[in-house]
Amino acid sequence: MTIDRRHLETGLEIPSEGYCDQPYVVVNTDGSWTCTMTTGKGIEGEGGQHVVSFVSPDQGKTWEGPFDIEPASGPEASWVMPLKVPDTGRIYVFYTYNRDNLREVKAVDGRMFARVDSLGVYAYKYSDDNGRTWSKDRFEISMRLFDCDRQNTYGGKVLFFWGVGKPFLHKGAAYVAASKV
Protein backbone atom coordinates (compact mmCIF):
# COMPACT_ATOMS: atom_id res chain seq x y z
CA MET A 1 0.00 0.00 0.00
CA THR A 2 1.35 3.40 -0.99
CA ILE A 3 0.98 6.25 1.50
CA ASP A 4 -0.24 9.45 -0.13
CA ARG A 5 1.38 12.33 1.83
CA ARG A 6 -1.08 14.82 0.31
CA HIS A 7 -3.81 13.56 2.65
CA LEU A 8 -4.07 15.14 6.11
CA GLU A 9 -4.19 11.75 7.83
CA THR A 10 -0.89 10.58 6.33
CA GLY A 11 0.84 13.85 5.46
CA LEU A 12 3.66 15.62 7.25
CA GLU A 13 3.20 19.02 8.86
CA ILE A 14 4.82 22.10 7.39
CA PRO A 15 6.22 24.13 10.29
CA SER A 16 5.00 27.67 11.04
CA GLU A 17 5.13 30.15 13.88
CA GLY A 18 1.55 29.29 14.90
CA TYR A 19 -0.81 30.78 12.33
CA CYS A 20 -0.16 29.68 8.74
CA ASP A 21 -1.84 30.74 5.51
CA GLN A 22 -1.22 29.98 1.86
CA PRO A 23 1.75 27.61 2.06
CA TYR A 24 3.01 27.30 -1.50
CA VAL A 25 5.88 25.04 -2.56
CA VAL A 26 8.30 25.33 -5.47
CA VAL A 27 10.76 22.62 -6.44
CA ASN A 28 14.31 23.93 -6.65
CA THR A 29 16.87 23.04 -9.30
CA ASP A 30 18.69 20.76 -6.81
CA GLY A 31 15.42 18.91 -5.99
CA SER A 32 14.90 20.55 -2.59
CA TRP A 33 11.62 22.29 -1.86
CA THR A 34 11.03 25.89 -0.83
CA CYS A 35 7.76 26.61 0.94
CA THR A 36 6.60 30.19 1.43
CA MET A 37 3.76 31.22 3.73
CA THR A 38 2.13 33.96 5.74
CA THR A 39 2.64 33.25 9.42
CA GLY A 40 2.67 34.80 12.87
CA LYS A 41 2.43 33.96 16.54
CA GLY A 42 -1.16 35.26 16.78
CA ILE A 43 -4.21 34.72 14.63
CA GLU A 44 -4.80 35.95 11.09
CA GLY A 45 -4.58 39.74 10.88
CA GLU A 46 -2.81 40.33 14.21
CA GLY A 47 0.37 42.37 14.48
CA GLY A 48 3.52 40.42 13.71
CA GLN A 49 1.99 38.73 10.69
CA HIS A 50 4.74 38.36 8.13
CA VAL A 51 6.07 36.22 5.29
CA VAL A 52 8.70 33.50 5.57
CA SER A 53 10.20 30.56 3.74
CA PHE A 54 11.19 27.06 4.80
CA VAL A 55 13.45 24.70 2.86
CA SER A 56 13.15 20.92 2.77
CA PRO A 57 15.97 18.78 1.34
CA ASP A 58 13.84 15.60 1.53
CA GLN A 59 10.38 16.35 0.07
CA GLY A 60 8.86 17.64 3.29
CA LYS A 61 10.15 15.11 5.82
CA THR A 62 12.34 17.76 7.49
CA TRP A 63 12.41 21.54 7.18
CA GLU A 64 15.03 24.25 7.67
CA GLY A 65 13.87 27.72 8.73
CA PRO A 66 11.91 29.85 9.07
CA PHE A 67 13.80 32.33 6.94
CA ASP A 68 12.27 35.80 7.13
CA ILE A 69 11.30 37.36 3.85
CA GLU A 70 9.92 40.23 5.94
CA PRO A 71 10.43 40.27 9.74
CA ALA A 72 7.63 39.98 12.30
CA SER A 73 8.86 43.24 13.82
CA GLY A 74 8.09 45.22 10.66
CA PRO A 75 4.84 46.29 9.04
CA GLU A 76 2.45 43.51 8.08
CA ALA A 77 3.50 41.43 5.09
CA SER A 78 0.95 38.91 3.86
CA TRP A 79 -0.26 36.54 1.16
CA VAL A 80 3.12 35.55 -0.29
CA MET A 81 3.26 33.66 -3.60
CA PRO A 82 6.50 32.18 -5.01
CA LEU A 83 7.66 31.94 -8.61
CA LYS A 84 10.77 29.97 -9.59
CA VAL A 85 12.49 30.91 -12.82
CA PRO A 86 13.63 27.65 -14.45
CA ASP A 87 16.58 29.12 -16.38
CA THR A 88 18.26 30.66 -13.33
CA GLY A 89 16.73 28.91 -10.32
CA ARG A 90 15.97 32.33 -8.81
CA ILE A 91 12.81 32.43 -6.68
CA TYR A 92 10.70 35.58 -6.64
CA VAL A 93 8.02 36.11 -4.00
CA PHE A 94 5.10 38.52 -4.36
CA TYR A 95 3.12 39.77 -1.35
CA THR A 96 0.97 42.52 0.15
CA TYR A 97 3.10 44.90 2.23
CA ASN A 98 1.80 47.58 4.60
CA ARG A 99 4.63 49.91 3.55
CA ASP A 100 3.22 52.97 5.29
CA ASN A 101 2.72 51.00 8.52
CA LEU A 102 -0.90 52.08 8.91
CA ARG A 103 -2.25 50.95 12.28
CA GLU A 104 -5.94 51.37 11.46
CA VAL A 105 -8.13 52.20 8.47
CA LYS A 106 -11.48 53.84 8.04
CA ALA A 107 -14.41 51.99 6.48
CA VAL A 108 -16.96 53.65 4.20
CA ASP A 109 -19.38 53.95 7.14
CA GLY A 110 -16.77 55.77 9.25
CA ARG A 111 -15.89 52.89 11.58
CA MET A 112 -12.20 52.26 12.23
CA PHE A 113 -10.55 48.86 11.77
CA ALA A 114 -7.25 47.76 13.28
CA ARG A 115 -6.73 44.95 10.78
CA VAL A 116 -4.14 46.15 8.26
CA ASP A 117 -2.86 43.01 6.53
CA SER A 118 -4.67 43.45 3.20
CA LEU A 119 -3.50 46.89 2.18
CA GLY A 120 -0.44 48.73 1.01
CA VAL A 121 1.79 47.99 -1.95
CA TYR A 122 2.38 44.89 -4.02
CA ALA A 123 5.97 44.02 -3.12
CA TYR A 124 8.47 41.43 -4.20
CA LYS A 125 11.88 40.10 -3.25
CA TYR A 126 14.05 37.33 -4.65
CA SER A 127 16.33 34.53 -3.47
CA ASP A 128 19.28 32.98 -5.27
CA ASP A 129 19.92 30.28 -2.63
CA ASN A 130 16.65 28.31 -2.69
CA GLY A 131 14.86 30.55 -0.18
CA ARG A 132 17.38 30.69 2.66
CA THR A 133 18.14 34.39 2.18
CA TRP A 134 16.18 37.12 0.44
CA SER A 135 17.18 40.29 -1.37
CA LYS A 136 17.87 43.18 0.97
CA ASP A 137 15.94 45.46 -1.35
CA ARG A 138 12.17 45.25 -1.66
CA PHE A 139 10.65 46.12 -5.02
CA GLU A 140 7.14 47.33 -5.78
CA ILE A 141 4.74 46.49 -8.58
CA SER A 142 2.66 49.47 -9.61
CA MET A 143 -1.07 48.81 -9.77
CA ARG A 144 -3.53 50.85 -11.74
CA LEU A 145 -6.52 52.26 -9.91
CA PHE A 146 -9.96 50.75 -10.37
CA ASP A 147 -13.29 52.32 -9.44
CA CYS A 148 -13.28 50.39 -6.14
CA ASP A 149 -9.94 52.08 -5.31
CA ARG A 150 -11.12 55.56 -6.27
CA GLN A 151 -14.31 55.08 -4.25
CA ASN A 152 -12.67 53.79 -1.06
CA THR A 153 -12.46 56.17 1.90
CA TYR A 154 -8.95 57.14 0.87
CA GLY A 155 -9.77 57.93 -2.75
CA GLY A 156 -7.25 55.38 -3.99
CA LYS A 157 -4.33 56.70 -1.93
CA VAL A 158 -4.52 53.43 0.06
CA LEU A 159 -4.98 50.22 -1.92
CA PHE A 160 -6.81 47.25 -0.42
CA PHE A 161 -5.91 43.91 -2.03
CA TRP A 162 -4.29 40.54 -1.63
CA GLY A 163 -2.75 37.87 -3.79
CA VAL A 164 -4.09 34.34 -3.96
CA GLY A 165 -2.83 32.02 -6.63
CA LYS A 166 0.26 31.02 -8.48
CA PRO A 167 2.41 33.46 -10.45
CA PHE A 168 3.45 32.08 -13.82
CA LEU A 169 5.79 32.71 -16.74
CA HIS A 170 4.57 33.11 -20.30
CA LYS A 171 6.68 34.10 -23.31
CA GLY A 172 9.42 35.63 -21.16
CA ALA A 173 7.15 37.62 -18.85
CA ALA A 174 6.00 36.93 -15.29
CA TYR A 175 2.34 37.31 -14.39
CA VAL A 176 0.95 37.71 -10.89
CA ALA A 177 -2.65 38.39 -9.90
CA ALA A 178 -4.08 40.69 -7.24
CA SER A 179 -7.61 40.59 -5.90
CA LYS A 180 -8.98 43.97 -4.88
CA VAL A 181 -10.71 44.06 -1.50
Side-chain angles (χ1 to χ4, degrees):
M1 174 185 229
T2 303
I3 295 175
D4 189 341
R5 296 290 183 200
R6 294 172 296 178
H7 291 280
L8 290 177
E9 296 83 20
T10 57
L12 301 169
E13 184 175 346
I14 297 172
S16 70
E17 294 177 3
Y19 161 74
C20 170
D21 206 334
Q22 291 182 214
Y24 291 125
V25 173
V26 294
V27 178
N28 299 312
T29 305
D30 67 1
S32 65
W33 292 359
T34 297
C35 177
T36 62
M37 71 177 69
T38 302
T39 192
K41 296 200 183 300
I43 61 172
E44 181 180 73
E46 283 190 351
Q49 183 168 300
H50 65 127
V51 292
V52 300
S53 61
F54 288 89
V55 178
S56 176
D58 52 16
Q59 297 183 326
K61 292 182 183 106
T62 62
W63 293 94
E64 303 167 20
F67 303 106
D68 283 346
I69 299 168
E70 293 287 353
S73 60
E76 288 74 10
S78 309
W79 327 126
V80 66
M81 300 177 297
L83 172 68
K84 188 191 103 179
V85 178
D87 295 344
T88 64
R90 177 174 277 184
I91 301 169
Y92 289 90
V93 289
F94 305 91
Y95 54 96
T96 305
Y97 184 67
N98 182 3
R99 179 192 64 201
D100 297 329
N101 201 17
L102 299 175
R103 302 313 332 141
E104 62 182 8
V105 291
K106 188 187 305 185
V108 175
D109 64 6
R111 291 182 295 148
M112 299 301 288
F113 288 96
R115 186 165 173 175
V116 291
D117 59 329
S118 296
L119 60 86
V121 297
Y122 217 161
Y124 71 94
K125 287 187 173 185
Y126 62 87
S127 173
D128 288 321
D129 61 2
N130 297 335
R132 288 177 178 84
T133 62
W134 295 92
S135 58
K136 179 179 158 252
D137 292 329
R138 176 185 319 103
F139 305 91
E140 296 179 10
I141 301 171
S142 60
M143 294 197 304
R144 70 181 179 96
L145 296 180
F146 288 84
D147 284 339
C148 63
D149 300 312
R150 290 184 196 92
Q151 293 176 21
N152 75 29
T153 57
Y154 297 93
K157 289 182 174 62
V158 176
L159 299 179
F160 298 88
F161 70 98
W162 69 332
V164 179
K166 294 276 188 147
F168 63 93
L169 298 170
H170 180 67
K171 295 184 179 181
Y175 292 84
V176 60
S179 297
K180 298 286 185 152
V181 180

